Amino acid sequence: MTQGRTLVLSVDRDDDIGWKAQVESPCIGRAACLKAANTLALADPEDSDVNAIFSAIKIYDELTAKGEDTAIAVIAGNHLHMIEGDRRIAASLEKVVDETKAANCILVTDGAEDEYVIPIIQSKIPVSSIRRVIVNQMPNLEGTYYILKKFFDDPKISRMVFIPIGLAMLLYAIAYLFGSPGIATIIVVGVIGCYLLYKGLGFDELFHGIWDALKLSLSRGRFSFVTYTMTFLLIILGSTAGFANILKYYSSDGSLGLITYLMTFLFGALGWLILAGLVLSVGVIFDVFSNERENLGKVIVFPFFVTAIGLILYGASVYIISITGVPDFPLSTDTTSKYILWSTIGGIISAIAGVMTQHVINKKIAESRKQEIIEVM
């Protein structure tokens, strides 16, 4: 027999019980879990999480009938934002473990996202068994059509698929109306390519995190809300200046390579982008100093590293532009050779200064903690 209390845990990562059935999680105990399953079944009888919760209840009943010390719970994440959802799962599981005093866990899922959920669960409680509940379907054309229809009816999926395709088609139609079908094709391919990179590199989660941080700073009245807003505006100004630089040199010589265009963008935008990074760093440092001073060492390096990266990129951009022979570039190769040398040295000095400052801050924080412990004792 398994040592300690066993927790039968059903995980609804996309929070269908909250999104569709308006059931607050975590649900702890057989009665609460059964109520959540029935409510979700009435809201959406075809949801696979219904079967997962009922399967968890069945496992709980079987183990209880054998005389095992068993608990049961259902926890959920977030329907739209996976990062916030996973954090909610971790927090909910911690609460469930504290309340049930469980020593191990039997995980029950619908099999869709096990690889994401399992590490989170294992970080809080040992997983002794995993039960994947797969609902049998008739593999005919009508069933496939119905599954796809339900798939695209989900607002999370429809926004991810329909918006980029619709935007690309709209831009193509506008460009075609202005008599530029060649540009229209470039626009469509560019929009789809940018969207695929945006999703593939995880920028969507990054922007969700930034947006959540912005809302949090506003709701708590933090200074960083102002700096977040200023940073956003500075990034727009920098991007505009960078693209204006590209258009300037594209009009003078349309045969420049991709690397040269990237460097001309950086040459025009870097000043604004560095300023944006510094403004953001100041806001974060101010808030951490005011509210979470023990974490000051983690963020104090931000302005130093922003300056270091900015200096190195600036030196590299002007040097590459000068050696590629861009017409009308104001700096000569000899001058840019000095630029890249001194900017690299300046960047290294800035990075070293940041690391040393972080070391000093962390040392002072550690000494302060020791002093507090001594005073308490």
Side-chain angles (χ1 to χ4, degrees):
M1 184 177 293
T2 305
Q3 296 297 319
R5 174 171 289 184
T6 298
L7 172 65
V8 182
L9 181 68
S10 177
V11 179
D12 177 13
R13 189 173 183 241
D14 54 0
D15 192 26
D16 286 327
I17 62 172
W19 180 264
K20 298 177 181 178
Q22 307 301 314
V23 174
E24 285 292 327
S25 63
C27 304
I28 303 174
R30 188 183 188 280
C33 294
L34 183 60
K35 181 180 179 181
N38 288 330
T39 306
L40 180 58
L42 290 173
D44 185 1
E46 291 138 350
D47 195 299
S48 59
D49 288 302
V50 174
N51 300 277
I53 298 173
F54 277 124
S55 179
I57 296 172
K58 180 182 178 183
I59 293 172
Y60 169 81
D61 289 343
E62 291 173 350
L63 294 177
T64 303
K66 293 178 182 178
E68 291 193 25
D69 187 9
T70 315
I72 185 172
V74 177
I75 60 176
N78 187 291
H79 190 72
L80 297 177
H81 305 310
M82 290 297 105
I83 290 179
E84 291 302 316
D86 291 344
R87 289 174 177 171
R88 184 183 177 195
I89 287 173
S92 298
L93 180 57
E94 191 170 348
K95 177 182 177 181
V96 169
V97 172
D98 288 341
E99 185 169 330
T100 61
K101 308 300 181 184
N104 66 91
C105 163
I106 296 176
L107 178 62
V108 182
T109 75
D110 57 6
E113 294 171 320
D114 290 347
E115 65 272 21
Y116 299 105
V117 174
I118 292 173
I120 301 172
I121 306 303
Q122 288 177 328
S123 68
K124 303 294 181 183
I125 186 172
V127 177
S128 58
S129 179
I130 299 173
R131 172 70 183 272
R132 294 178 176 90
V133 181
I134 307 297
V135 181
N136 294 325
Q137 299 284 349
M138 288 295 292
N140 53 33
L141 183 60
E142 182 181 359
T144 303
Y145 164 78
Y146 186 71
I147 291 171
L148 289 175
K149 182 178 181 298
K150 295 291 291 182
F151 182 75
F152 287 117
D153 282 343
D154 189 327
K156 181 175 60 176
I157 303 299
S158 61
R159 283 188 293 184
M160 186 173 64
V161 175
F162 294 137
I163 289 179
I165 295 176
L167 179 61
M169 295 175 69
L170 179 62
L171 292 173
Y172 183 88
I174 293 172
Y176 198 86
L177 285 174
F178 282 97
S180 303
I183 295 178
T185 304
I186 294 173
I187 290 174
V188 171
V189 173
V191 168
I192 295 176
C194 289
Y195 178 75
L196 293 176
L197 288 175
Y198 172 77
K199 296 294 293 184
L201 296 175
F203 287 144
D204 55 334
E205 299 289 352
L206 174 64
F207 288 134
H208 283 314
I210 293 173
W211 176 247
D212 291 338
L214 183 63
K215 291 191 295 184
L216 181 64
S217 64
L218 176 61
S219 63
R220 295 184 178 179
R222 293 189 173 182
F223 178 70
S224 58
F225 175 75
V226 178
T227 57
Y228 278 133
T229 306
M230 293 175 62
T231 300
F232 179 71
L233 295 175
L234 289 170
I235 290 175
I236 292 177
L237 289 173
S239 301
T240 303
F243 282 117
N245 229 31
I246 291 178
L247 293 175
K248 173 183 175 182
Y249 292 112
Y250 181 82
S251 61
S252 61
D253 186 357
S255 62
L256 301 177
L258 178 62
I259 298 297
T260 305
Y261 285 129
L262 177 60
M263 293 301 106
T264 55
F265 174 84
L266 290 176
F267 178 64
L270 262 176
W272 294 103
L273 297 181
I274 292 173
L275 182 59
L278 293 175
V279 168
L280 180 61
S281 301
V282 169
V284 172
I285 291 172
F286 184 87
D287 278 349
V288 171
F289 181 79
S290 302
N291 303 285
E292 307 168 21
R293 197 165 299 183
E294 68 277 4
N295 295 322
L296 185 60
K298 298 178 181 179
V299 300
I300 197 67
V301 297
F302 288 175
F304 296 96
F305 281 11
V306 167
T307 303
I309 294 172
L311 287 172
I312 294 171
L313 286 177
Y314 181 79
S317 65
V318 295
Y319 180 73
I320 292 175
I321 294 171
S322 66
I323 64 175
T324 52
V326 173
D328 303 323
F329 189 66
L331 300 175
S332 64
T333 304
D334 293 337
T335 303
T336 56
S337 298
K338 297 177 182 178
Y339 269 54
I340 192 172
L341 174 63
W342 290 110
S343 65
T344 302
I345 293 173
I348 294 173
I349 292 173
S350 178
I352 293 174
V355 173
M356 293 177 63
T357 303
Q358 183 185 50
H359 176 73
V360 172
I361 295 294
N362 286 335
K363 186 176 180 181
K364 289 185 177 180
I365 292 174
E367 291 175 353
S368 176
R369 286 177 178 173
K370 288 181 181 178
Q371 186 63 32
E372 290 176 358
I373 294 172
I374 291 173
E375 291 176 356
V376 171
M377 294 177 63

